[in-house]
Amino acid sequence: MTAAPLTAARPLRCWVPRGVYAPQADTRLLGRALRRERITEKTDVLELGTGSGMLAVVAARLGGRVTAVDISWQAVVVTWINALLNGEHLRVRHGDLTTAVPGGRRFDLVIANPPYVPAPGGAPPRGSARAWDAGTTGRLLIDRICDSAPKVLRPEGTLLIVHSHLCGTGATLTRLAAAGLRAQVVDRTRLPFGRVLRSRLDWLRERGLTADGTTEELVVIRAEHA
């Protein structure tokens, strides 16, 4: 068990077994954007692809009424445990993105840190890599979130999504605009390639996805109804 410093207040307790995505730089970046939102006890929050559930716990600690969704049963269980460890109440649902949400329900804030790493051979059907690999373009989940998020957002609602520049920041902004949302990049950070990206560096270069092959930029995109 580790302490996850995702908030400026007391550290969170975080248990992440093998097979579930552990909080990393993208989690922290999205958490920073999340803390800038106005969240009260009346704010309904939906996290798509919750993984360890730590961002859902942060949203709950900020006062939100949080629903966390994941297609992995293991992630669902881990999210429930991490909520319990931190004394927060979450609604945790098993399912595929917004299809796990009861029909007609809408939210004030939707957050997502989906798998976004471009991967040769497409997306794995199971195993740890399912938490980061997202098809040859890295957009397998991102595009679905862009298309479906407006249907679960209230008229004044907000979407926050984080991903790497390798899967196309401009493509996300364009997709969200086509879905009727006004979107912009509100935070970003640059960091060295991790183990996964280093292992497929030649493939990334062949596809023209990286020039220097040493760093990637993570971006947080914020979107609202136009």
Side-chain angles (χ1 to χ4, degrees):
M1 187 184 298
T2 61
L6 293 175
T7 65
R10 52 193 170 93
L12 297 169
R13 301 174 71 189
C14 179
W15 176 69
V16 186
R18 184 173 181 178
V20 174
Y21 190 72
Q24 297 184 41
D26 48 6
T27 319
R28 293 189 290 273
L29 190 67
L30 185 54
R32 188 163 73 186
L34 176 63
R35 293 195 298 274
R36 290 196 293 265
E37 297 295 321
R38 184 176 181 273
I39 298 176
T40 72
E41 68 279 359
K42 295 182 179 180
T43 305
D44 288 315
V45 182
L46 171 65
E47 184 179 16
L48 300 173
T50 191
S52 68
M54 295 312 298
L55 284 170
V57 170
V58 169
R61 181 169 288 185
L62 291 170
R65 300 180 298 200
V66 184
T67 300
V69 170
D70 206 289
I71 198 169
S72 163
W73 274 112
Q74 187 180 17
V76 167
V77 172
V78 170
T79 296
W80 181 83
I81 291 172
N82 280 324
L84 187 65
L85 287 172
N86 289 282
E88 300 295 344
H89 173 73
L90 306 177
R91 299 180 184 90
V92 187
R93 301 183 66 89
H94 175 257
D96 186 13
L97 299 179
T98 58
T99 63
V101 178
R105 186 165 181 208
R106 291 179 178 261
F107 296 83
D108 302 295
L109 177 62
V110 176
I111 61 175
N113 180 10
Y116 54 72
V117 177
R126 61 183 61 85
S128 299
R130 188 170 66 167
W132 55 81
D133 283 350
T136 54
T137 64
R139 299 194 59 86
L140 190 65
L141 279 296
I142 293 171
D143 284 343
R144 291 182 57 206
I145 291 171
C146 290
D147 295 343
S148 63
K151 301 170 187 175
V152 294
L153 277 177
R154 288 180 176 144
E156 303 300 321
T158 300
L159 168 70
L160 293 174
I161 183 171
V162 62
H163 65 69
S164 169
H165 84 284
L166 293 175
C167 51
T169 302
T172 300
L173 295 174
T174 299
R175 191 102 182 189
L176 288 168
L181 297 181
R182 181 176 61 252
Q184 62 179 327
V185 175
V186 294
D187 209 346
R188 63 181 79 222
T189 190
R190 185 165 288 276
L191 65 161
F193 276 3
R195 175 184 57 83
V196 173
L197 289 175
R198 290 197 306 269
S199 71
R200 57 189 64 162
L201 183 55
D202 290 342
W203 180 81
L204 291 169
R205 285 174 172 164
E206 288 172 4
R207 293 183 60 84
L209 295 176
T210 182
D212 59 16
T214 59
T215 63
E216 67 172 328
E217 184 179 60
L218 300 179
V219 298
V220 176
I221 294 174
R222 186 180 190 274
E224 300 174 306
H225 285 286

